[in-house]
Amino acid sequence: MTDADQSQRDAVGHWYDDEAGPVVRPYAMTRGRTSAASRHRLDLIAVVVPEPAAGDPGRDQTLSPEHVEIVERCFEQPQSIAELAAGLDLPVGVVRVLIGDLVDDELVHVTRPVPPAELPDVSILREVINGLRAL
């Protein structure tokens, strides 16, 4: 780097650490979208599972590197949205948008957790256990 380049950079202001490398804003990854176009509700504990049709996501030129990384991580082991966000070091909102894209492209599907209202009541389970013991 020449002295002129260094002085120009100092005049503009040094806004990031040289060791950090290139900085990509989260909204650039999602093309400014803040929610997925998908109709699916993407809870933090929803599990992302790759579709068999996903094959080798790295060959698909339409996918961003983040999309490919999500599919590859899920091929190793299905992961929750929260786990993916932590592993990718991305905001949850960005990961939700990216997963929504993958769902729309039928490369992954999302299994939602059972809502608490649909879980069996503890008192019913206790009655079943007591009934079994009585036999």
Side-chain angles (χ1 to χ4, degrees), residues 33-51:
R33 297 172 293 147
T34 57
S35 63
S38 172
R39 297 171 301 282
H40 305 284
R41 184 165 178 225
L42 301 175
D43 295 320
L44 285 176
I45 58 174
V47 177
V48 180
V49 181
E51 293 287 354

Side-chain angles (χ1 to χ4, degrees), residues 5 10-11 16 31-32 38 43 48 60 70 76 82 86 89 120 124:
D5 292 335
D10 290 340
Y16 68 92
R31 292 180 231 116
S38 172
D43 295 320
V48 180
D60 189 345
I70 289 170
E76 294 171 15
D89 195 27
I124 293 174

Side-chain angles (χ1 to χ4, degrees), residues 20-113:
V23 177
V24 177
R25 299 283 183 220
Y27 61 81
M29 290 179 211
T30 62
R31 292 180 231 116
R33 297 172 293 147
T34 57
S35 63
S38 172
R39 297 171 301 282
H40 305 284
R41 184 165 178 225
L42 301 175
D43 295 320
L44 285 176
I45 58 174
V47 177
V48 180
V49 181
E51 293 287 354
D56 181 15
R59 298 178 108 171
D60 189 345
Q61 298 297 319
T62 62
L63 296 177
S64 72
E66 293 80 17
H67 286 112
V68 173
E69 180 73 17
I70 289 170
V71 175
E72 288 176 347
R73 284 175 179 261
C74 293
F75 266 125
E76 294 171 15
Q77 178 179 352
Q79 296 186 27
S80 71
I81 292 176
E83 290 172 316
L84 286 167
L88 295 168
D89 195 27
L90 292 173
V92 173
V94 170
V95 173
R96 282 182 172 149
V97 172
L98 296 174
I99 291 171
D101 295 343
L102 293 170
V103 169
D104 291 342
D105 291 343
E106 298 179 354
L107 295 173
V108 300
H109 69 273
V110 178
T111 59
R112 292 186 28 215

